[in-house]
Amino acid sequence: MAKKTPYTQCEKLYGMLLAQIISGVRVKGELLPTLNEICAQYKVKIGIVLRALERLEQEGYIRTKRGKQAVVVFENSEAALLQYLTRKKEALKDVFQIWRILLPNLAVHGARLCEKNDLDYLRDLLRSYDGETITVDEYTILIQKFIDRLVSMFENPILSDLRHQLTLFSKIPYTRSPQDTRADCMDWYRVLEDSLFCIEHHEESRLIVNFEKLYLSYETRMLEYLAMLPEPNVALSPVEFSWQPENSTPPLYIDIALQLIMQMSMGNISDGERLPSIIELAEKFDASEITIRGAIRLLNQLGLIEAKRGRGCTVTLSEARQRQPALASETAKQGLKIFLYTMQAIFLLCPKLAEFSMDFILDDDIEKIGAWIENGSDADIFVQGGSPFLQLFLDRMPSKTLRDIVKHLCDLERWGYFLVFCEYKEYRVGFFAQQIRLVYQALRERDMVKFGERLQEVYSLNFEAVKENLLLSGIQEVLPIICLRPLR
């Protein structure tokens, strides 16, 4: 298991604090939060905070004094801002591309959930601006409010956090490019008017074309702006976008428990088999014995093992499945909710991930998945689900930022291992495995549209199967407001 090093966490914290100072969110003379407040806000240890603050002080952004809060000493000047932008230039190109990938899909799915009061708000919003005289700055505010309303309908904390972090990172002192004219603004305004008509009449195909057109225009203008910046000085380290979603790195004892559960579900650890000793598990997972005891305690609480003093721990998966009360534990409920939100996020991204990755996927990659499909049983294919295809995106995606996002989504998927309690009907397992084979067939044909759509279908079917089992288990409160239906 690859660990996240303190250095990596320090780099991320340093980047977030630096962005706040450079962008003017924290101004000269302002006190930073206390060490304890920073630890709580960013969920890091105090040593990591101290290293990040030390680097900011060395580079002249803050001043620290023993026993007192750090104070911002950086004066936001045009020269300093220009230097900072050149350092994040490449990452910004990635982020603007992600806006074009993510926002249209999110907005259209959010439009499905619009009610009368939401439509009234959008109408009043458009009427509050004059389409014949609207300026670039007014239009920028208008489209942000318009899209915000639609996306807010989609109550997914993972996507909300990603969007918030992307927004913070992409804030730059840009208002307009020389090519922006009032005629452009009038055209964009008319696109928004037509988008409202599409929402009212459920014309999703036209609606997503409208939003893609608007965000392509936005990306083009921002890339023109970035192109005017000087090339980054090689002596300066680049500033990269980093996203650390909450719960993507669960406490180590839970993470180890989840890995053991996964091995049980795949049959690598059989029912009735005795687990290795605590010392052996500590060596295997490179963890302390205290951490392993925490994982064993959780598995015992869930009913997945029977721990007897002096006799070790025996796997009791079949008995746990018959009882199923463990699904009602707070740890399992929280994990399953995260898993469902993650499936929703992957579902929304699938078509675009397929589109951007297809040209970079190698024939060898396709052959490896083909061998897995050919040699695996329906049960094996069912357990793995869409993970091998997500791994393809991780291996071949040209955008580093998108790769990082997909990696975190894959990490969040681990919470779904709690579904080991659910018994899936044999016909459902066979049907699901057949859908995975159809995804592979589209990949083999290199049909990126069909590949993305079929992968979406897999996640939609998976969600319905999970929902059915959770309802049967009587824990419907973990089900989020979710809409897993492909766009028409």
Side-chain angles (χ1 to χ4, degrees):
M1 178 184 62
K3 289 187 175 181
K4 295 189 182 298
T5 64
Y7 175 78
T8 302
Q9 291 181 328
C10 179
E11 284 289 304
K12 289 180 178 179
L13 179 60
Y14 160 80
M16 286 185 280
L17 294 175
L18 176 62
Q20 293 171 17
I21 295 169
I22 291 289
S23 63
V25 173
R26 299 193 182 279
V27 297
K28 184 178 181 180
E30 182 179 346
L31 293 175
L32 291 182
T34 65
L35 294 178
N36 287 336
E37 287 171 341
I38 296 175
C39 288
Q41 182 178 353
Y42 296 102
K43 297 180 176 59
V44 293
K45 295 180 180 178
I46 197 165
I48 292 168
V49 177
L50 289 171
R51 282 196 289 275
L53 295 182
E54 181 184 5
R55 181 171 171 184
L56 288 170
E57 184 170 31
Q58 289 172 350
E59 295 180 5
Y61 293 107
I62 64 170
R63 185 176 65 248
T64 61
K65 193 171 183 180
R66 189 176 181 84
K68 294 188 177 181
Q69 290 170 250
V71 62
V72 177
V73 295
F74 173 78
E75 187 161 4
N76 199 319
S77 67
E78 185 176 347
L81 199 55
L82 187 63
Q83 183 188 80
Y84 179 65
L85 285 177
T86 59
R87 293 175 63 193
K88 65 191 293 189
K89 186 175 179 179
E90 292 305 313
L92 280 169
K93 291 178 183 178
D94 256 5
V95 168
F96 294 135
Q97 184 183 64
I98 291 168
W99 277 130
R100 176 166 54 84
I101 294 170
L102 184 64
L103 263 295
N105 271 322
L106 274 180
V108 175
H109 280 275
R112 289 174 165 175
L113 304 172
C114 278
E115 297 179 353
K116 183 180 181 302
N117 63 317
D118 302 301
L119 293 172
D120 290 341
Y121 170 86
L122 295 175
R123 288 190 204 98
D124 292 341
L125 181 63
L126 284 172
R127 290 184 191 130
S128 65
Y129 293 89
D130 185 345
E132 299 299 319
T133 61
I134 189 169
T135 66
V136 176
D137 291 335
E138 288 174 334
Y139 166 75
T140 302
I141 296 170
L142 169 61
I143 189 171
Q144 182 176 350
K145 289 182 176 179
F146 194 98
I147 298 294
D148 279 351
R149 183 68 174 205
L150 295 178
V151 174
S152 67
M153 305 293 299
F154 220 52
E155 298 176 7
N156 183 314
I158 295 171
L159 289 173
S160 295
D161 180 62
L162 173 58
R163 181 168 167 270
H164 175 67
Q165 295 302 327
L166 287 168
T167 301
L168 287 178
F169 187 84
S170 60
K171 278 188 176 178
I172 61 177
Y174 166 87
T175 52
R176 59 183 64 82
S177 73
Q179 289 77 22
D180 291 339
T181 65
R182 181 157 289 170
D184 293 324
C185 295
M186 289 168 60
D187 289 342
W188 299 331
Y189 183 88
R190 292 190 190 101
V191 172
L192 281 180
E193 283 186 316
D194 185 63
S195 298
L196 178 58
F197 175 87
C198 294
I199 294 171
E200 292 171 329
H201 295 85
H202 310 290
E203 295 189 16
E204 292 182 347
S205 297
R206 198 161 105 206
L207 182 60
I208 197 165
V209 168
N210 282 349
F211 286 146
E212 285 178 344
K213 185 189 302 182
L214 291 172
Y215 275 96
L216 178 60
S217 169
Y218 173 70
E219 181 188 15
T220 302
R221 288 182 288 124
M222 297 310 296
L223 291 179
E224 288 172 356
Y225 174 77
L226 292 175
M228 293 187 291
L229 296 175
E231 287 301 313
N233 186 333
V234 292
L236 296 172
S237 58
V239 177
E240 297 181 346
F241 173 77
S242 62
W243 176 49
Q244 183 65 51
E246 190 175 0
N247 299 309
S248 67
T249 52
L252 185 56
Y253 81 95
I254 293 182
D255 192 43
I256 291 172
L258 286 170
Q259 292 186 61
L260 290 170
I261 290 172
M262 180 59 171
Q263 291 180 36
M264 293 177 196
S265 67
M266 295 183 70
N268 296 334
I269 301 178
S270 305
D271 203 31
E273 184 179 338
R274 191 172 292 178
L275 288 181
S277 69
I278 288 177
I279 295 175
E280 290 170 331
L281 288 173
E283 185 176 341
K284 177 180 179 180
F285 291 103
D286 190 20
S288 69
E289 291 185 24
I290 294 175
T291 301
I292 297 299
R293 290 183 193 281
I296 295 295
R297 194 179 305 116
L298 176 59
L299 293 174
N300 196 37
Q301 289 169 355
L302 295 174
L304 288 168
I305 62 171
E306 183 181 8
K308 289 187 177 180
R309 193 175 186 85
R311 297 178 59 185
C313 304
T314 305
V315 176
T316 55
L317 178 58
S318 58
E319 294 178 24
R321 280 177 169 163
Q322 290 172 7
R323 294 193 301 269
Q324 282 199 335
L327 276 176
S329 76
E330 288 305 313
T331 303
K333 283 197 290 189
Q334 175 66 11
L336 291 172
K337 186 175 284 190
I338 295 167
F339 174 67
L340 290 171
Y341 282 130
T342 303
M343 278 206 298
Q344 185 185 53
I346 295 173
F347 171 88
L348 289 168
L349 286 170
C350 276
K352 289 297 181 181
L353 292 176
E355 177 183 332
F356 280 88
S357 300
M358 185 60 78
D359 290 342
F360 300 91
I361 294 174
L362 306 176
D363 291 340
D364 286 348
D365 299 327
I366 299 175
E367 287 179 12
K368 285 179 185 176
I369 292 185
W372 165 65
I373 293 285
E374 185 177 336
N375 299 323
S377 65
D378 284 357
D380 291 335
I381 294 171
F382 175 77
V383 169
Q384 290 289 332
S387 298
F389 302 105
L390 291 183
Q391 188 60 47
L392 267 187
F393 299 146
L394 270 176
D395 293 340
R396 304 304 175 199
M397 178 72 63
S399 162
K400 179 185 181 302
T401 306
L402 265 180
R403 285 199 305 273
D404 288 345
I405 290 171
V406 173
K407 181 184 180 305
H408 283 307
L409 291 175
C410 289
D411 289 342
L412 288 164
E413 265 199 309
R414 289 177 300 172
W415 289 98
Y417 297 164
F418 282 121
L419 293 170
V420 69
F421 294 99
C422 296
E423 288 279 21
Y424 294 95
K425 297 173 183 175
E426 191 173 337
Y427 77 86
R428 177 67 64 85
V429 172
F431 177 70
F432 188 87
Q434 181 57 28
Q435 298 306 306
I436 293 287
R437 293 185 179 98
L438 290 176
V439 176
Y440 166 68
Q441 182 180 335
L443 175 63
R444 190 178 59 189
E445 294 169 358
R446 291 193 175 272
D447 186 331
M448 66 180 181
V449 174
K450 198 179 289 184
F451 175 49
E453 289 175 349
R454 286 179 175 173
L455 194 53
Q456 265 195 326
E457 186 67 21
V458 162
Y459 277 93
S460 179
L461 290 168
N462 197 3
F463 172 76
E464 290 303 321
V466 171
K467 179 180 176 181
E468 178 184 320
N469 276 285
L470 294 180
L471 289 173
L472 288 172
S473 302
I475 54 170
Q476 51 268 52
E477 69 267 26
V478 311
L479 297 175
I481 296 174
I482 199 162
C483 185
L484 291 188
R485 185 162 47 84
L487 297 176
R488 290 192 291 273

